[in-house]
Amino acid sequence: MLKAIAFDLDGVLTDTAEYHYLAWKELGKKIGIDFDREFNEKLKGISRGESLELILALGDQQKAYTPEEKTEMMVWKNDLYIELIQNITKKDILPGILPLLEALKENNIKMAIASASKNAPMILEKLGIISYFDTIVDPSSIANGKPFPDIFIAASEQLNIPVSQMIGIEDSQAGITSINDSQMFSVGVGVLEQADYLVPSTAELNFDSIIAQFNN
Ligand code: G6P
Ligand code: MG
């Protein structure tokens, strides 16, 4: 029986994935590394530091900066990102999400956030939905980020609900691998491989179909 759902944040609850992309792209411009949306797919779900390393590797610049300079770049990107998301509100919650959160609450299904973003609590506050969640995994407490399963396992431990009674929802390939390897049932949003149940967009995420797929 389904007891809990662990949600990714960026690209699932709200379209902040787009702002991460825009901010990294601006940083790329500053250091002469251009990339497109296809490359950006690789940055989804992974940490700030790992994202920077992938961008530097793309430009063959991994060795070009000291750790201090890399930290400065991450701060610069995060400052720009925070500026870009300053005005997000309830209206930026993706289609289908609020009715889903409401249905889960009515059916007494617990909810967790399993996001690599250190900005997650602030974003949930801005969206006005933080109170739906019983727990938020602190990404800095996780040894191995997505695609490793640690963050979804931590969500199950924090809720004290076995992974076999949980679903994870993700919009990134790294995230789907993470859910699958945690042995949770995976729900993917977008164009992804290996999700147990895949929907094209959050608008198609509804409580009854998710339960039907999970029980299948
Ligand atoms: C999420 C996003 C990534 C982002 C990461 C870290 O997983 O999908 O694009 O890089 O969180 O986010 P942060 O807000 O801590 O830089
Ligand atoms: Mg995401």
Side-chain angles (χ1 to χ4, degrees), residues 8 10-11 170-171:
D8 174 45
D10 299 303
E170 266 288 350
D171 72 316

Side-chain angles (χ1 to χ4, degrees), residues 24 48-58 62 70:
W24 281 127
R48 206 179 296 172
E50 287 169 317
S51 300
L52 177 62
E53 289 299 334
L54 282 190
I55 293 167
L56 293 177
L58 178 71
Q62 280 145 304
K70 288 181 183 177

Side-chain angles (χ1 to χ4, degrees), residues 143-215:
N144 306 295
K146 300 170 192 175
F148 290 95
D150 307 33
I151 196 162
F152 285 95
I153 292 171
S156 133
E157 287 171 354
Q158 286 179 211
L159 291 173
N160 205 15
I161 294 176
V163 285
S164 58
Q165 297 182 335
M166 287 185 66
I167 286 176
I169 308 187
E170 266 288 350
D171 72 316
S172 72
Q173 195 56 56
I176 292 294
T177 305
S178 173
I179 300 171
N180 288 345
D181 289 352
S182 79
Q183 310 300 328
M184 271 183 208
F185 183 90
S186 59
V187 174
V189 178
V191 182
L192 297 164
E193 283 165 21
Q194 273 157 6
D196 294 317
Y197 174 44
L198 186 68
V199 293
S201 79
T202 58
E204 287 82 26
L205 275 179
N206 80 77
F207 181 69
D208 293 335
S209 353
I210 291 175
I211 294 283
Q213 292 288 331
F214 179 79
N215 291 331

Side-chain angles (χ1 to χ4, degrees), residues 57-128:
L58 178 71
D60 218 2
Q61 292 188 23
Q62 280 145 304
K63 302 252 156 65
Y65 300 98
T66 63
E68 293 71 27
E69 286 168 329
K70 288 181 183 177
T71 301
E72 266 173 44
M73 286 186 216
M74 287 191 277
V75 170
W76 190 91
K77 180 267 173 178
N78 194 53
D79 286 349
L80 174 57
Y81 173 69
I82 287 177
E83 212 178 296
L84 293 173
I85 61 168
Q86 230 14 262
N87 298 323
I88 65 166
T89 64
K90 234 180 172 67
K91 68 177 181 352
D92 295 289
I93 299 170
L94 282 168
I97 294 298
L98 263 187
L100 176 62
L101 298 181
E102 268 304 313
L104 293 171
K105 194 166 119 187
E106 275 166 31
N107 287 276
N108 217 3
I109 294 185
K110 301 275 179 229
M111 290 172 251
I113 293 289
S115 165
S117 174
K118 296 187 171 128
N119 293 301
M122 183 255 290
I123 292 172
L124 292 167
E125 288 279 6
K126 279 183 178 292
L127 298 174

